[in-house]
């Protein structure tokens, strides 16, 4: 499904003093910090100076095409970063390919000039290296985060339903670089035993979801009303919802938290339950005829869940 949807996913894990060497990618991505804290260096195309930012759990960083990045962990806790993105222009559909500027597999290693050989000969590591304790690295600047990074755990909530769930949506308003990346993202926290309304992306987008914490059940329904997936998910699981397919999630008792991307910068969803449901917009006569039910049954159906928007708290 990753290949069919031209979507990529990967993780970066750094131990203390681990440095992910400077590289650029053949894909635009959003990075999400799953664990730990550290420092990231970002060089935007045609920029004269890198941006150095402090990163921590909950940070989302937009990485358009052509961006050069490096990542460093100077803490005892592992730094774990998730990358989700599109591979429409990648060398291999469904895979990210990184081009390293330095290291044993760096692009300069193939050049034959004496300058290039002298420059790269001393770095024998590939991809990730461990620096000596006390090695000086650039200091992060708070201003460098503007427009590039947003902490989803501290950002204003777009949806907040008591005993239901909360959502922070990344879009061009709160993270301008999302427009250059070409897709949106969100962080969703579903409370204990709550349900996320069945819904679909109505702008021909794929949904790619990574489970961060907790567990729950997921159902996906596709063409001709056929259920194409029913499974239990837990932390570390990743799944994809194809275009226009309907998905719903129910959290277990410990709740369910996920980070996802939608392959359009400002996604629009239609929901099939709750206050904003499509059913609420359809006339009673159409519903009665479509379901072949009496007005009384139709009224009972449309009166359910009128107060909730996207998340449904468990029954009392």
């Amino acid at each position: 499904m990753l290949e069919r949807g031209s979507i990529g996913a990967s993780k970066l894990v750094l131990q203390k003093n681990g440095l992910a060497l400077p590289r650029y990618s053949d894909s635009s991505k959003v990075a999400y910090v799953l664990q730990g804290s550290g420092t990231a260096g970002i060089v935007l195309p045609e920029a004269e100076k890198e941006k150095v930012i402090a990163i921590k759990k909950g940070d989302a960083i937009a990485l358009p095409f052509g961006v050069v990045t490096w990542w460093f962990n100077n803490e005892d806790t592992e730094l774990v970063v998730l990358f989700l993105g599109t591979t429409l222009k990648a060398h291999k559909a469904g895979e990210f390919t990184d081009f390293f500027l330095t290291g044993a597999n760096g692009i300069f290693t193939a050049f034959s000039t004496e300058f290039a050989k002298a420059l790269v000969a001393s770095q024998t590591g590939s991809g990730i290296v461990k620096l000596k304790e006390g090695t000086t690295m650039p200091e992060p600047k708070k201003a460098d985060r503007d427009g590039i990074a947003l902490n989803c755990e501290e950002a204003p909530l777009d949806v907040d339903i008591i005993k239901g769930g909360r959502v922070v949506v990344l879009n061009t308003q709160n993270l301008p670089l999302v427009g250059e990346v070409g897709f949106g993202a969100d962080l969703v926290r579903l409370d204990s035993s709550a349900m996320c309304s069945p819904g679909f992306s109505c702008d021909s987008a794929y949904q790619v979801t990574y489970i961060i914490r907790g567990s729950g059940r997921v159902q996906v329904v596709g063409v001709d009303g056929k259920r194409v997936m029913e499974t239990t998910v837990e932390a570390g699981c990743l799944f994809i919802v194809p275009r226009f397919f309907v998905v719903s999630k129910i959290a277990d008792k410990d709740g369910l938290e996920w980070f996802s991307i939608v392959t359009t910068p400002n996604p629009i969803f239609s929901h099939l339950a709750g206050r904003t449901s499509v059913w609420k917009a359809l006339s009673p006569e159409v519903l009665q005829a479509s379901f072949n039910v009496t007005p009384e049954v139709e009224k009972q159906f449309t009166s359910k869940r009128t107060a909730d928007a996207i998340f449904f708290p468990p029954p009392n």
Side-chain angles (χ1 to χ4, degrees):
M1 182 59 76
L2 286 173
E3 183 177 352
R4 183 187 304 175
S6 294
I7 296 162
S10 65
K11 270 185 187 178
L12 171 67
V13 180
L14 292 177
Q15 307 287 340
K16 184 176 182 180
N17 294 323
L19 171 67
L21 296 173
R23 85 273 316 266
Y24 61 92
S25 177
D26 64 354
S27 305
S28 58
K29 312 171 188 175
V30 167
Y32 185 79
V33 182
L34 297 171
Q35 175 184 301
S37 59
T39 307
I42 300 170
V43 182
L44 298 172
E46 299 184 350
E48 296 182 357
K49 190 176 181 180
E50 69 180 352
K51 293 181 180 291
V52 181
I53 63 174
I55 57 174
K56 64 179 181 179
K57 182 177 179 294
D59 274 348
I61 304 109
L63 303 173
F65 282 112
V67 168
V68 173
T69 64
W70 55 262
W71 309 80
F72 179 64
N73 180 18
N74 61 345
E75 303 292 339
D76 292 328
T77 302
E78 278 188 342
L79 174 62
V80 183
V81 184
L82 170 72
F83 297 92
L84 299 176
T86 61
T87 61
L88 286 169
K89 299 181 180 180
H91 285 272
K92 296 180 180 179
E95 294 183 25
F96 298 141
T97 299
D98 288 337
F99 295 83
F100 293 90
L101 302 187
T102 66
N105 59 341
I107 57 175
F108 282 115
T109 58
F111 285 100
S112 59
T113 66
E114 292 304 316
F115 169 77
K117 287 184 178 296
L119 183 66
V120 303
S122 61
Q123 180 53 271
T124 58
S126 298
I128 296 174
V129 298
K130 186 171 183 177
L131 303 185
K132 294 180 180 179
E133 187 71 36
T135 299
T136 301
M137 293 294 287
E139 289 294 325
K141 296 180 180 178
K142 187 176 181 180
D144 284 352
R145 287 178 59 92
D146 294 345
I148 290 180
L150 178 74
N151 190 277
C152 296
E153 296 185 355
E154 300 173 354
L157 298 172
D158 293 281
V159 177
D160 186 6
I161 296 176
I162 297 174
K163 295 184 179 180
R166 290 154 299 285
V167 182
V168 171
V169 178
L170 300 180
N171 51 37
T172 53
Q173 281 70 50
N174 57 14
L175 195 58
L177 268 185
V178 163
E180 294 186 35
V181 169
F183 51 85
D186 57 27
L187 175 69
V188 181
R189 292 174 170 177
L190 200 58
D191 290 334
S192 175
S193 302
M195 176 182 178
C196 181
S197 167
F200 64 94
S201 170
C202 53
D203 43 13
S204 185
Y206 284 91
Q207 301 174 58
V208 187
T209 299
Y210 179 88
I211 305 299
I212 298 173
R213 181 190 60 81
S215 61
R217 290 176 291 155
V218 176
Q219 290 186 347
V220 178
V221 177
V223 180
D224 293 328
K226 294 182 179 179
R227 187 185 304 161
V228 297
M229 186 176 80
E230 180 174 10
T231 188
T232 298
V233 294
E234 58 186 13
C237 290
L238 182 140
F239 65 92
I240 300 173
V241 180
R243 295 185 179 103
F244 301 110
F245 282 32
V246 176
V247 60
S248 184
K249 310 174 188 74
I250 299 178
D252 289 339
K253 63 179 182 178
D254 293 329
L256 186 64
E257 180 178 345
W258 66 85
F259 183 79
S260 62
I261 65 168
V262 182
T263 56
T264 183
N266 294 295
I268 301 173
F269 288 92
S270 287
H271 295 277
L272 302 180
R275 188 176 67 245
T276 58
S277 167
V278 172
W279 305 121
K280 299 295 182 184
L282 291 171
S283 62
E285 294 81 5
V286 171
L287 290 176
Q288 292 163 27
S290 299
F291 283 113
N292 192 26
V293 296
T294 64
E296 291 74 21
V297 173
E298 179 274 328
K299 187 175 182 180
Q300 183 181 23
F301 169 70
T302 55
S303 66
K304 300 293 185 181
R305 298 292 190 183
T306 57
D308 304 316
I310 300 175
F311 303 127
F312 306 141
N316 294 328

